[in-house]
Amino acid sequence: MASQDWFDKDFYAVLGVKKDVSDAELKKAYRKLARQYHPDSNPGDAKAEARFKEISEAYSVLSDAELRREYDQVRAMGSGARFTAGGGGAGGFEDVFGGMFGGGGRGGRTSYASGGFEDLLGGMFGGGNFGTSSGGYRGYGGPTRGADVTAKTTLDFLTAIRGDTVTLSMQSGRETKVKIPAGVADGQKIRLKGKGQPSPDGGEAGDLVLTVAVRKHPVFERDGLNLRVAVPLTFAEAALGATIEVPTLDGAPVKLRVAPGTPSGRLLRVKGRGVTTAKGTGDLLAEVVVAVPDHMPAAARDALDAFVAAMPDDNPRAELLDRARAAQKGA
């Protein structure tokens, strides 16, 4: 900022706070004003944008303990002084600083040519230019970072697994292309650097925080990096064993061997046919489900009756019932 600004601008008044304001109260006042005058809330309003810059400038100085102390010192010395083009006019530079540095009062000979006011204050406060072109005092504060933006998108199951580039319509009305990485899960948040709101004063753009919802697949379910699929078996296949075909996500089925006596619920694993991300690749888990026919021809029923008669009279639930009784006694 220009050196004169430290005399001209009352940063406390800009933020509507008292000089002895606490850090917490200062931050609260700044956030309230920033929300009110942010360009996103006032699109196309040049006055609001200018007010937002004033607010950001004031907060960048007052929120820094060192800058705030130096600012208070400069304001106390200035007390409303103005610089004059000539030397020593009423209310001029010499009126403020003449007595401080050995003469040069009203009408005195003290000269601050060449380096000017910045050289003087640079020596007082540890060197460096009084103002910077990037905003803030001696580079403190700097340009305001653009605000982050939150958005949601819903993806097909295959798009989420394979990744893609999608076009999002933002609340501001603009569209932006976003690359979705392979393997995103339902509810996952993706932070896309620089895709948020632009800075109001030439600084870094904010980020886009995208929450992804994934539609269900009619066949597959996501289980971490694995994919799960329920595979029906006939009773005969489960009891006697069989070679079956299992679908995969890319559509080409694979053949799996089912061992004789395979129970319902057993998982058969196909290595490397799950979800691929930067963290690795999962497997395809085929869960065996024994299918029970809802109707049988008379000949099949007769054969099943003969099967039951030929089998030992065992109760498959006997062990389960024994464990339940033992647990009740122990309680």
Side-chain angles (χ1 to χ4, degrees):
M1 68 181 68
S3 55
Q4 181 67 54
D5 287 351
W6 282 68
F7 290 97
D8 290 344
K9 294 185 178 180
D10 186 342
F11 291 150
Y12 294 101
V14 169
L15 296 176
V17 296
K18 296 180 180 179
K19 188 175 179 181
D20 60 351
V21 64
S22 67
D23 292 343
E25 292 172 335
L26 182 70
K27 181 181 291 187
K28 181 178 180 181
Y30 165 72
R31 287 181 174 177
K32 178 180 179 181
L33 292 172
R35 284 194 297 267
Q36 180 180 352
Y37 292 99
H38 197 283
D40 292 349
S41 304
N42 303 273
D45 189 337
K47 290 184 178 179
E49 182 176 349
R51 179 80 170 102
F52 180 78
K53 289 182 179 180
E54 289 179 349
I55 294 164
S56 300
E57 179 187 25
Y59 185 69
S60 70
V61 173
L62 297 185
S63 61
D64 184 290
E66 180 183 352
L67 289 181
R68 181 174 175 178
R69 183 170 55 255
E70 294 177 0
Y71 170 76
D72 290 342
Q73 290 173 345
V74 172
R75 288 281 296 175
M77 290 186 295
S79 300
R82 293 292 184 270
F83 301 110
T84 58
F93 180 90
E94 291 81 2
D95 290 339
V96 179
F97 294 99
M100 295 173 55
F101 298 97
R106 188 180 302 273
R109 294 180 175 272
T110 303
S111 173
Y112 300 97
S114 182
F117 184 58
E118 288 82 1
D119 288 347
L120 172 63
L121 291 183
M124 291 171 59
F125 300 124
N129 290 330
F130 190 73
T132 68
S133 59
S134 61
Y137 174 69
R138 290 193 331 202
Y140 288 87
T144 308
R145 182 180 180 276
D148 289 346
V149 174
T150 59
K152 297 180 180 179
T153 189
T154 300
L155 304 177
D156 291 330
F157 192 88
L158 286 176
T159 300
I161 298 298
R162 297 170 178 171
D164 200 357
T165 298
V166 300
T167 300
L168 300 179
S169 296
M170 311 302 290
Q171 290 183 347
S172 61
R174 66 185 177 95
E175 292 186 342
T176 184
K177 291 187 178 295
V178 173
K179 185 176 181 180
I180 304 295
V184 295
D186 184 57
Q188 183 174 337
K189 294 183 184 295
I190 304 172
R191 179 174 290 272
L192 302 157
K193 188 173 179 60
K195 290 285 188 177
Q197 289 294 339
S199 167
D201 51 9
E204 179 183 1
D207 299 339
L208 171 62
V209 181
L210 182 64
T211 301
V212 177
V214 180
R215 296 188 183 95
K216 291 186 177 299
H217 193 277
V219 174
F220 299 97
E221 289 185 2
R222 180 86 179 262
D223 182 6
L225 292 182
N226 297 324
L227 293 175
R228 297 178 69 106
V229 57
V231 182
L233 291 183
T234 67
F235 171 75
E237 289 173 330
L240 303 177
T243 298
I244 62 172
E245 285 190 330
V246 175
T248 61
L249 193 60
D250 59 15
V254 295
K255 291 186 176 182
L256 289 180
R257 177 63 185 168
V258 179
T262 295
S264 187
R266 176 170 292 178
L267 294 178
L268 307 178
R269 186 180 299 269
V270 184
K271 295 288 291 183
R273 302 302 289 268
V275 181
T276 298
T277 69
K279 297 181 179 179
T281 300
D283 301 330
L284 175 63
L285 305 178
E287 181 180 359
V288 171
V289 179
V290 177
V292 179
D294 55 4
H295 68 279
M296 288 185 292
R301 185 175 184 84
D302 290 341
L304 188 57
D305 287 339
F307 168 79
V308 172
M311 291 293 292
D313 190 15
D314 293 334
N315 182 357
R317 294 168 294 280
E319 183 182 352
L320 174 66
L321 294 172
D322 289 342
R323 291 202 307 267
R325 293 189 190 101
Q328 288 175 348
K329 291 179 180 179

